[in-house]
Amino acid sequence: MAAATLVIVSALGSPGGAPFSFASAQPGLSAAGTLTNAWADYDGDGDPDLFVGFNGGPSRLYRNDAGVMRDVAGDAGLAEARATRAAAWGDYDGDGDPDLLLGYAPGAEGVLRLHRNTNGRFTDVTFAAGLPVATGAVRQPAWIDFDGDGDLDLFVAFRDRPNAMFRNTRGRFIDVAAAAGLADPRKSVGAVWIDFDQDGDLDLYVANQDGDANALLRNTNGKFSDVAPAMGAEWAGRAAREATNGTVRPCALDANGDGWLDLFGANYGPNGLLLLGRRGPARDASRLLAVAYDGRHDTCAPADIDNDGRIDLYVNGTITGGVQHRDYMLHNTGDVFSDATPASVLALPASHGASWADFDGDGDLDLAIAGTTAAVMPLLLRNELASAASHGSLSVRVVDRRGRATLAGAEVRVYAAGTRRLLATGLVDSGSGYNSQSDLPVHLGLGDARRVDVQVIVPRHGRRTAVWQRGVVPTRTRAITVRAG
């Protein structure tokens, strides 16, 4: 392996500004050679399990047994040795357990593989479901009910061909992207679904590479049109029309605590943060909020790392041209995002993807990372939050009225009980990590709040339907399930 050089480009802050502490969990678990990872409770035992895709080696499925991770991919039928580029969990058949869509590098077989979950064992149903795709550079998949008919459809971004939107009709899929206005031919590498304008339907923000502008596709009665130029969302903080710049991963988070989901771009070039709201175009706050680190970044992963109610950010650097660009753990202070990357993370080589889950059930979020370079790269970092006892959290599982996880893109807000004082905002995963989608509860930090009201909003058919669960006491109930939709 060629030696790599660690570079820190355009550092806007200094490490050590927050009480973040992370240590390797199960040090024998290595992330070397991995590109993507995604979480779901595939076996229904109440804790999150982790799929890890490798760049050619057999995939792994780590079953979580009370915080101990054990690879069961062989027994489960998922240990295929192909270069895995993407992974997305979603209950496409509506039977109550998450199925797994994988995207592969082009080869002798197709680039998409759909595995149906039956009691924890997975069966290849790609052809039966109508999803054989012979070739293409698969990037971001997302299970999303884009047409609002109650089942999960499948969006797939491609880097070298028009993007696809596979409509689900009783378990069979047909690509309707062209008719819907979603067959973007640009070099797409990431995407996230949100109701960015709060008009009651899910829109799509698509990240594009090699100097192509990003797309903000507004949904109007199931037809999508690109409003990125009008909304000031074409570049997400990077240089316009610069061939060496591109957005790899877009993330949605309420960066300033106003209840509106904003857009972050993990870029080749300076990272960007676009603030959204009721009035006019997005406001580029990249430098104002101190996130415009210039480098090569593959992933943004929002999370309230310290449970104070403000969303923090993990942004990975990647290795390219033999150069390693560092990762950042950015603490949201309420004024700026301060570089608070702990020494244990700074010591690691460049990573490739990142995803958050409370794998050990202690109330704070832990970090799963993917990396391509070093045999010592840990797979899982445990959050050793010193203030966990004083800062509470709540885990909100959002399901539809039949108890199925079909509401990706729904919003969760927590208020101080009996008031309209907003404590935290979260999003049911609609595209996350690096080319991945997890099927997890929404984790919300509560600061010092001891009694809260929980609101779930489902955008569908031009309406934003709100469901409330009031008077929740997190010290008694750390996790709740809300039926909505």
Side-chain angles (χ1 to χ4, degrees):
M1 179 187 305
T5 303
L6 179 65
V7 297
I8 302 176
V9 186
S10 184
L12 303 181
S14 58
F20 296 163
S21 178
F22 286 79
S24 179
Q26 289 183 242
L29 304 182
S30 172
T34 61
L35 292 177
T36 189
N37 53 33
W39 295 89
D41 181 10
Y42 87 94
D43 55 358
D45 66 352
D47 51 25
D49 311 296
L50 179 64
F51 173 84
V52 181
F54 286 77
N55 192 25
S59 297
R60 298 179 190 170
L61 177 63
Y62 286 99
R63 189 176 70 198
N64 185 350
D65 294 323
V68 177
M69 311 298 283
R70 185 167 70 89
D71 181 16
V72 297
D75 293 338
L78 290 176
E80 189 161 11
R82 293 185 62 184
T84 306
R85 295 289 184 264
W89 291 98
D91 184 10
Y92 88 94
D93 55 0
D95 67 351
D97 55 25
D99 311 295
L100 182 61
L101 186 284
L102 297 178
Y104 295 115
E109 302 179 63
V111 295
L112 295 182
R113 187 69 56 88
L114 177 59
H115 296 273
R116 183 176 185 178
N117 182 356
T118 305
N119 298 320
R121 287 193 58 82
F122 292 84
T123 305
D124 181 359
V125 295
T126 310
F127 282 86
L131 278 175
V133 176
T135 189
V138 179
R139 291 302 184 261
Q140 178 67 53
W143 292 106
I144 196 85
D145 184 10
F146 97 104
D147 55 4
D149 66 352
D151 57 22
L152 289 176
D153 311 294
L154 177 64
F155 172 82
V156 182
F158 290 93
R159 203 182 192 282
D160 62 348
R161 53 176 287 179
N163 297 331
M165 183 74 249
F166 296 101
R167 172 176 282 148
N168 183 353
T169 304
R170 293 183 295 278
R172 284 193 57 83
F173 294 87
I174 297 175
D175 187 0
V176 297
L182 292 170
D184 195 328
R186 287 174 284 191
K187 296 178 179 64
S188 299
V189 287
V192 64
W193 291 79
I194 60 168
D195 184 8
F196 85 90
D197 49 5
Q198 295 193 6
D199 69 347
D201 48 31
L202 288 173
D203 313 295
L204 177 63
Y205 190 53
V206 181
N208 295 315
Q209 264 283 17
D210 296 351
D212 283 348
N214 298 338
L216 182 58
L217 299 167
R218 172 176 279 153
N219 184 351
T220 305
N221 299 320
K223 302 293 184 182
F224 292 79
S225 57
D226 188 3
V227 297
M231 288 297 299
E234 291 177 288
W235 309 108
R238 59 184 165 99
R241 291 173 287 277
E242 174 58 58
T244 61
N245 278 199
T247 302
V248 179
R249 174 82 223 126
C251 288
L253 68 158
D254 182 5
N256 56 356
D258 66 353
W260 284 77
L261 291 169
D262 308 303
L263 294 169
F264 183 91
N267 293 333
Y268 277 29
N271 293 323
L273 179 57
L274 306 178
L275 300 181
L276 300 176
R278 292 186 183 280
R279 298 179 182 176
R283 180 163 64 98
D284 188 338
S286 310
R287 292 202 168 273
L288 177 67
L289 297 184
V291 300
Y293 297 95
D294 193 354
R296 295 293 183 264
H297 308 100
D298 280 339
T299 305
C300 51
D304 187 352
I305 302 171
D306 55 355
N307 286 341
D308 65 354
R310 295 186 293 264
I311 295 295
D312 311 299
L313 269 169
Y314 190 85
V315 184
N316 88 307
T318 190
I319 181 169
T320 178
V323 175
Q324 294 194 41
H325 296 262
R326 59 159 286 196
D327 293 9
Y328 291 89
M329 199 172 287
L330 300 176
H331 181 225
N332 186 346
T333 68
D335 297 314
V336 297
F337 284 84
S338 172
D339 181 5
T341 314
S344 57
V345 174
L346 284 172
L348 298 176
S351 61
H352 203 275
S355 57
W356 295 95
D358 182 10
F359 88 97
D360 53 4
D362 66 352
D364 56 35
L365 289 171
D366 309 294
L367 180 64
I369 52 177
T372 59
T373 57
V376 297
M377 190 77 170
L379 174 76
L380 192 58
L381 295 175
R382 187 190 306 274
N383 187 349
E384 300 180 323
L385 182 61
S387 58
S390 59
H391 279 174
S393 66
L394 184 66
S395 175
V396 182
R397 178 68 165 164
V398 177
V399 297
D400 63 21
R401 296 191 183 277
R402 294 170 58 186
R404 306 170 307 164
T406 61
L407 299 179
E411 301 162 20
V412 183
R413 291 180 177 80
V414 177
Y415 297 86
T419 77
R420 295 297 291 176
R421 181 165 67 89
L422 182 64
L423 301 176
T425 300
L427 178 71
V428 179
D429 193 350
S430 62
S432 64
Y434 179 78
N435 300 343
S436 71
Q437 182 182 20
S438 295
D439 177 13
L440 288 174
V442 178
H443 177 98
L444 299 135
L446 303 178
D448 296 327
R450 292 295 177 258
R451 191 178 184 90
V452 300
D453 296 334
V454 179
Q455 180 193 50
V456 173
I457 294 178
V458 177
R460 181 179 286 173
H461 300 311
R463 298 180 60 189
R464 287 172 58 83
T465 303
V467 175
W468 288 86
Q469 192 156 325
R470 300 183 187 274
V472 177
V473 181
T475 54
R476 300 177 190 166
T477 307
R478 182 176 282 171
I480 64 172
T481 297
V482 178
R483 292 182 180 242

